[in-house]
Structures are given as C-alpha cells and as structure tokens.
Amino acid sequence: MTDTAASEGQSDRLAINIQDVSFYWPTGATVLNSCSLTIQRGEFCMLLGNNGSGKSTLLRLLAGLLPRQTGKLEASGPVGFVFQNPDHQLVMPTVGADVAFGLVKDRLSVKQVRQRVEEALSAVNLWNLQRRPIYALSGGQKQRVAIAGAIAQHCEILLLDEPTALLDPDSQIDLVEQVQALVKSRGLTALWVTHRLAELDYCDRAFLLEGGKVSDQGDPQRLKQKMTTSYLTPS
Ligand SMILES: Nc1ncnc2c1ncn2[C@@H]1O[C@H](COP(=O)(O)OP(=O)(O)OP(=O)(O)O)[C@@H](O)[C@H]1O
Ligand SMILES: [Mg+2]
C-alpha cells in the first residue's frame, strides 16, 4: 500500500495514518520533515533508520508522549508502548500487579481485573508467573509483561521501540515470534523499531526513515538486502 491509501478510500482500514508530520527540538535541528506513512489494521511493520534519524521521536509522537507540532497523526484505536528497557516501564513488584496497574484508570471490578490480567498473561505465555517478582524475570519475560500490560488495556496498536536491544539472540527471536503471533491471532497492529536486520524476516512491511521522512518502504526482504549492503550491521 502507498501513502496515498487514505485518499484512495481505504482510510477506514488504516490503523496508523501519519501525514506530513514535522518535528523539531527547540535545542536543535528538525528531526522529522513532512514525514508520512500509513499502516493497515492487522499489519506487522518495522521501522529502520540510522541512530538519530527520528524513529523514537515518531513513535513517541504517535503515542502522544510528545506534543504534536505540525501534520496529522492518527491511530484507529488504543495504543500500547513497549520501551527498549523494560526496567523503565515495569513499576510494580510482581508480574500480576504490574499488568493490573495499567487498569487502575478503567474502574473495573476486582473480578474483571483478575480476568483481564489472566487473559493478557496467557496471551504472552506467562500465565503461571503471575506472582513472580519482576526482578526475578529474564529480559525477554519482562518485555512480555510489558506487552501483556498493553493487551490487558485492550490496546489495538503496539508501538515497540527496539524491544530486543537488550536481549540475547534466542530471546530476540522468541519475542519477535511472539509479537508476530499476537498480531495474527488477535488482529493487532504493530510498529516495531529495529536495527537488527534478522528481525525483518518476521514482519509484513518495512519503512526506512532518512532525512526526516520515509525514504523507502515495502518488502522487508528487499529492504534487508539494501541495508545489508549499506550502513547497518546485519545481526
Ligand atoms: N529530549 C530531547 N531533546 C533534544 N533533542 C532530542 C531529544 N530526544 C532526542 N533528541 C534528538 O532528536 C534526534 C532524533 O532522536 P531519536 O531518539 O528519535 O532517534 P532514533 O532514530 O530513535 O535513534 P536511535 O536509533 O539511536 O534510537 C536526535 O538528534 C536526538 O539527539
Ligand atoms: Mg530510538
């Protein structure tokens, strides 16, 4: 699909619609310069680009963690964010308490909270670790708890900013397979930032951010090939 999809009558199928978004920090140069991209519901997409190219800035704008300056940023449903370092995100002492924490604002009954937590932890294959202290989890398990938090809140769109950066190779693959399966089984949409080209094997479509905008997009294998022969190190 192209960035003109919205104008071709497919906008109701879009999960993410970013049009002509520009962003600058008061302290520095423009990071995003009329950046546009669209993602359909149920797609698993990856975002590539050099250090400092604006990937995290774009995700944070989309999640509402940064104030929008110019352009259109639309998400079709609730958005969940998974950070590179889960220790910046998990705030409660145990797995179950952390997943429940995100539901406080929803005014649910105790029974409803229990059901949501159990269902979300089952979705990421951690249902048996509900009482486990967060400190006693592996890095990959912590990232899955973060994803469970988003599922418990009924997020439809997952934004994942280099979620495997701190994981060993086996855990990296486990996590990307897990997100791929969740996208397929639950109809979620995911936008995953990565520098690891091996992860492109699991997504439907990829984008390259360069010069403040999407300079290339499409088949992940084509972009993988292009990146392998340019500036990113294959993993
Ligand atoms: N809080 C901030 N204040 C000022 N400038 C910032 C701030 N956060 C990021 N930047 C700058 O914005 C630019 C884009 O940063 P961003 O973190 O979005 O890049 P990135 O593509 O995610 O990089 P990386 O691959 O290293 O994570 C960089 O030049 C960065 O120094
Ligand atoms: Mg970043």
Side-chain angles (χ1 to χ4, degrees):
M1 193 178 70
T2 69
D3 283 334
T4 58
S7 60
E8 290 168 0
Q10 298 179 39
S11 56
D12 55 329
R13 290 168 49 199
L14 292 182
I16 294 173
N17 187 14
I18 297 172
Q19 298 296 329
D20 293 324
V21 166
S22 297
F23 185 86
Y24 65 90
W25 295 103
T27 49
T30 297
V31 180
L32 300 172
N33 185 10
S34 201
C35 178
S36 299
L37 72 85
T38 54
I39 298 178
Q40 286 190 37
R41 291 182 196 200
E43 274 195 301
F44 182 14
C45 292
M46 292 197 180
L47 182 61
L48 306 165
N50 272 348
N51 290 131
S53 58
K55 303 178 300 297
S56 297
T57 303
L58 186 62
L59 254 61
R60 284 164 191 252
L61 281 167
L62 193 52
L65 300 174
L66 283 173
R68 184 168 62 87
Q69 292 173 350
T70 60
K72 182 154 77 170
L73 284 149
E74 291 177 345
S76 64
V79 170
F81 204 103
V82 177
F83 291 88
Q84 180 175 322
N85 186 342
D87 291 334
H88 295 165
Q89 172 156 32
L90 306 181
V91 294
M92 297 298 280
T94 65
V95 168
D98 198 89
V99 175
F101 180 71
L103 300 173
V104 170
K105 64 185 184 321
D106 293 340
R107 296 175 175 273
L108 302 171
S109 68
V110 172
K111 188 177 170 196
Q112 285 171 317
V113 169
R114 279 206 193 109
Q115 280 173 346
R116 291 257 200 123
V117 169
E118 280 170 17
E119 203 247 335
L121 286 173
S122 297
V124 297
N125 303 318
L126 291 181
W127 59 271
N128 56 338
L129 297 189
Q130 210 173 138
R131 293 173 192 277
R132 174 82 62 91
I134 294 290
Y135 69 76
L137 297 176
S138 69
Q141 288 170 331
K142 286 182 183 176
Q143 289 298 45
R144 285 196 275 156
V145 172
I147 293 169
I151 289 173
Q153 292 174 62
H154 289 176
C155 292
E156 294 169 15
I157 297 169
L158 291 180
L159 303 177
L160 307 107
D161 195 355
E162 296 192 56
T164 60
L166 305 179
L167 304 185
D168 64 46
D170 285 348
S171 302
Q172 284 167 29
I173 298 305
D174 283 350
L175 193 73
V176 73
E177 283 180 346
Q178 175 89 74
V179 170
Q180 184 190 44
L182 285 171
V183 167
K184 299 250 177 302
S185 65
R186 303 180 76 91
L188 301 178
T189 305
L191 180 56
W192 169 299
V193 172
T194 188
H195 288 287
R196 300 182 188 279
L197 299 183
E199 293 174 358
L200 286 164
D201 294 349
Y202 298 86
C203 72
D204 302 314
R205 224 149 49 85
F207 301 93
L208 175 61
L209 198 55
E210 254 179 340
K213 57 183 68 180
V214 174
S215 64
D216 199 353
Q217 64 179 293
D219 178 20
Q221 294 308 314
R222 183 181 62 75
L223 279 170
K224 184 177 178 183
Q225 183 66 34
K226 176 174 170 169
M227 296 293 102
T228 305
T229 52
S230 63
Y231 49 80
L232 291 178
T233 308
S235 57

